[in-house]
């Protein structure tokens, strides 16, 4: 066989072999790997190159070496899932850099980190003053994660004592003008519902770039034609206003009527409705 | 506007709100949300019933406004 043909076949074969190997080694982000894992990938890549270009003359030896590296990497990964000790040895432990607001100098030296680097890492986590940091830890991948002091944390609804309605992830039901049936049926909706919603907004399906339905079944769309103004769903706000109006009506009836019995009935129901309004508020207004 | 028609208008508004709420109850994915909506629907049902009775009583007192 001609040399070039052998090279071609070998390259194609190794291309797919490498693809399968990398798939077998799992989904890890190359930027968030432990240094040793990174070396594993590089060495596997090098073996592939060396075998393809015939630098390792006996290709069976090359495959053997490649196989050992792949097998060990996968075996160590598997073992570190099974055992915490092996996991710690293979991946290393995380290092605490700041504890209770105090910088741990010895730990910083251990992880070969300078003060400048620590400050820059804190800044990238939006902690410009180290005094804002309660706890910082260097993960085994070299990432630095930061817990801000309680008074420097961003405000949440819980801090404000606000009740919020639970929300689940929205489903994308239209993409590039095509209806996606699977997410639709996941939400218990169908095409008829979608066509009805689009008719209500007054846009055609073909003009839709993205359409998402949120967990309460409101449809949000983005159109190809950006000069068209799409109304945001306001049904919930209107429903809330409607309930409040009814509450106000009941109160005024209670004032207007002469019958004592009716007065009691109106004011009792006004209180009831007020409770309903307050309870529904987080669900309808957000 | 007579008292009866005012009360009837309020009743209609409340019933329309109930219908919308029912729609959201049917569309919602979250169990807790559905439970809250159901609870609120039950409460408003009671108010609707009271208003209906009040309209009946008013119509009995002033039959000339019946059906308006």
């Amino acid at each position: 066989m001609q040399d070039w043909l052998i090279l071609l076949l070998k390259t194609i074969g190794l291309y797919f072999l490498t693809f399968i190997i990398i798939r077998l080694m799992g989904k890890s982000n190359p930027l968030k790997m432990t240094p040793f894992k990174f070396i594993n990938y590089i060495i596997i890549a090098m073996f592939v190159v060396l075998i393809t270009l015939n630098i390792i003359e006996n290709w069976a030896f090359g495959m053997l070496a490649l196989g050992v590296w792949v097998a060990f990497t996968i075996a160590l990964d598997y073992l570190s899932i099974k055992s915490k000790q092996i996991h710690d040895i293979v991946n290393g432990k995380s290092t605490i850099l700041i504890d209770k607001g105090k910088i741990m100098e010895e730990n910083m030296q251990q992880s070969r980190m300078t003060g400048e680097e620590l400050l820059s890492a804190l800044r990238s986590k939006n902690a410009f003053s180290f005094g804002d940091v309660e706890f910082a830890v260097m993960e085994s991948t070299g990432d630095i994660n930061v817990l801000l002091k309680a008074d420097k944390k961003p405000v949440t609804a819980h801090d404000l004592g606000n009740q919020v309605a639970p929300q689940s992830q929205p489903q994308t039901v239209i993409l590039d003008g095509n209806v996606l049936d699977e997410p639709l049926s996941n939400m218990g909706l169908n095409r008829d519902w979608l066509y009805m919603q689009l008719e209500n907004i007054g846009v055609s399906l073909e003009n839709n770039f993205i359409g998402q339905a949120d967990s309460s079944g409101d449809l949000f769309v983005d159109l190809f034609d950006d000069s068209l103004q799409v109304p945001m769903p306001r049904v919930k706000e209107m429903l809330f206003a409607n309930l409040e109006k009814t509450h106000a009506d009941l109160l005024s009836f209670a004032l207007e009527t002469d019958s004592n019995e009716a007065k009691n009935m109106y004011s009792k129901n006004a209180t009831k409705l007020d409770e309903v309004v307050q309870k529904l508020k987080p669900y309808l207004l957000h | 506007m007579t008292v009866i028609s005012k009360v009837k208008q309020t009743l209609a508004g409340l019933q329309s709100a109930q219908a919308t709420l029912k729609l959201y109850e049917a569309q919602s994915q979250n169990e807790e949300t559905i439970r809250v909506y159901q609870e609120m629907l039950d409460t408003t049902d009671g108010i609707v019933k009271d208003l209906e009775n009040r309209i009946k009583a008013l119509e009995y007192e002033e039959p000339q406004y019946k059906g308006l």
Side-chain angles (χ1 to χ4, degrees):
Chain A
M1 239 194 293
Q2 278 170 326
D3 281 351
W4 67 268
L5 196 61
I6 295 173
L7 182 67
L8 182 69
L9 289 177
K10 224 158 128 186
T11 314
I12 294 173
L14 279 167
Y15 179 87
F16 287 106
L17 182 68
T18 317
F19 178 76
I20 293 167
I21 288 172
I22 299 298
R23 268 300 171 82
L24 280 178
M25 285 170 67
K27 288 185 197 170
S28 54
N29 182 347
L31 293 173
K32 304 215 163 164
M33 272 189 303
T34 56
F36 184 64
K37 196 113 190 255
F38 185 62
I39 288 173
N40 274 335
Y41 277 92
I42 292 178
I43 286 185
I44 288 168
M46 272 165 55
F47 273 130
V48 172
V49 172
L50 295 178
I51 296 169
T52 345
L53 295 178
N54 266 350
I55 295 171
I56 300 174
E57 277 168 12
N58 189 340
W59 70 274
F61 282 4
M63 292 300 267
L64 182 69
L66 178 65
V68 169
W69 274 92
V70 172
F72 261 73
T73 312
I74 294 174
L76 274 183
D77 270 354
Y78 181 76
L79 286 175
S80 51
I81 293 172
K82 292 282 164 196
S83 148
K84 172 96 174 80
Q85 273 106 348
I86 294 176
H87 181 271
D88 285 349
I89 293 168
V90 174
N91 294 315
K93 276 187 185 171
S94 49
T95 316
I96 295 168
L97 297 177
I98 299 180
D99 194 18
K100 297 193 181 91
K102 293 198 179 65
I103 299 176
M104 308 272 110
E105 284 82 5
E106 297 105 74
N107 288 353
M108 280 191 43
Q109 236 162 28
Q110 239 177 44
S111 45
R112 312 270 182 285
M113 190 172 212
T114 63
E116 195 55 46
E117 281 168 354
L118 176 68
L119 288 176
S120 134
L122 293 184
R123 278 196 293 271
S124 74
K125 296 282 178 187
N126 260 339
F128 279 79
S129 150
F130 79 89
D132 296 350
V133 178
E134 170 74 22
F135 182 80
V137 61
M138 184 191 244
E139 308 293 350
S140 49
T141 56
D143 273 350
I144 292 185
N145 287 319
V146 168
L147 174 71
L148 294 176
K149 282 190 176 151
D151 56 339
K152 300 284 182 185
K153 270 193 225 166
V155 174
T156 60
H158 177 80
D159 295 331
L160 294 172
N162 277 359
Q163 233 203 336
V164 286
Q167 260 183 323
S168 36
Q169 83 283 16
Q171 297 276 2
T172 306
V173 293
I174 303 174
L175 208 55
D176 266 330
N178 297 315
V179 179
L180 306 178
D181 283 307
E182 202 190 305
L184 256 186
S185 53
N186 278 348
M187 299 198 71
L189 303 168
N190 57 22
R191 277 173 180 247
D192 287 338
W193 171 85
L194 188 63
Y195 294 144
M196 201 180 75
Q197 295 287 318
L198 288 175
E199 205 172 296
N200 282 348
I201 314 173
V203 295
S204 67
L205 178 63
E206 294 76 40
N207 199 2
N208 268 291
F209 178 45
I210 293 177
Q212 279 191 322
D214 72 4
S215 52
S216 60
D218 277 335
L219 183 70
F220 295 81
V221 294
D222 184 83
L223 303 183
F224 283 118
D225 185 355
D226 282 328
S227 59
L228 275 180
Q229 281 292 324
V230 188
M232 281 287 166
R234 283 263 169 269
V235 184
K236 281 182 185 163
E237 283 81 352
M238 270 154 66
L239 171 59
F240 187 75
N242 204 340
L243 284 172
E244 276 196 320
K245 181 181 175 294
T246 312
H247 174 235
D249 281 349
L250 289 177
L251 283 179
S252 72
F253 292 153
L255 287 176
E256 282 167 13
T257 183
D258 292 329
S259 144
N260 260 336
E261 193 196 340
K263 221 185 238 320
N264 282 339
M265 185 276 285
Y266 282 136
S267 48
K268 186 193 80 197
N269 281 331
T271 333
K272 259 200 212 165
L273 197 59
D274 192 40
E275 274 167 28
V276 171
V277 168
Q278 293 311 325
K279 227 173 181 174
L280 284 178
K281 199 172 179 182
Y283 293 88
L284 298 180
L285 304 179
H286 48 233
Chain B
M1 211 188 245
T2 59
V3 173
I4 294 189
S5 60
K6 269 203 221 162
V7 178
K8 275 184 180 167
Q9 207 180 34
T10 304
L11 176 65
L14 185 58
Q15 277 171 332
S16 124
Q18 264 193 321
T20 318
L21 202 56
K22 256 181 207 156
L23 200 69
Y24 274 111
E25 187 219 320
Q27 282 181 353
S28 278
Q29 298 292 303
N30 185 287
E31 300 246 333
E32 200 195 323
T33 314
I34 293 175
R35 195 182 49 76
V36 171
Y37 284 170
Q38 262 165 0
E39 219 173 274
M40 296 304 113
L41 276 171
D42 289 344
T43 318
T44 46
D45 270 342
I47 302 173
V48 166
K49 207 152 276 170
D50 275 353
L51 283 181
E52 275 168 355
N53 287 338
R54 180 64 193 155
I55 288 169
K56 268 181 211 150
L58 284 171
E59 277 176 349
Y60 181 73
E61 282 167 24
E62 294 171 84
Q64 67 270 33
Y65 295 119
K66 201 170 172 183
L68 284 177

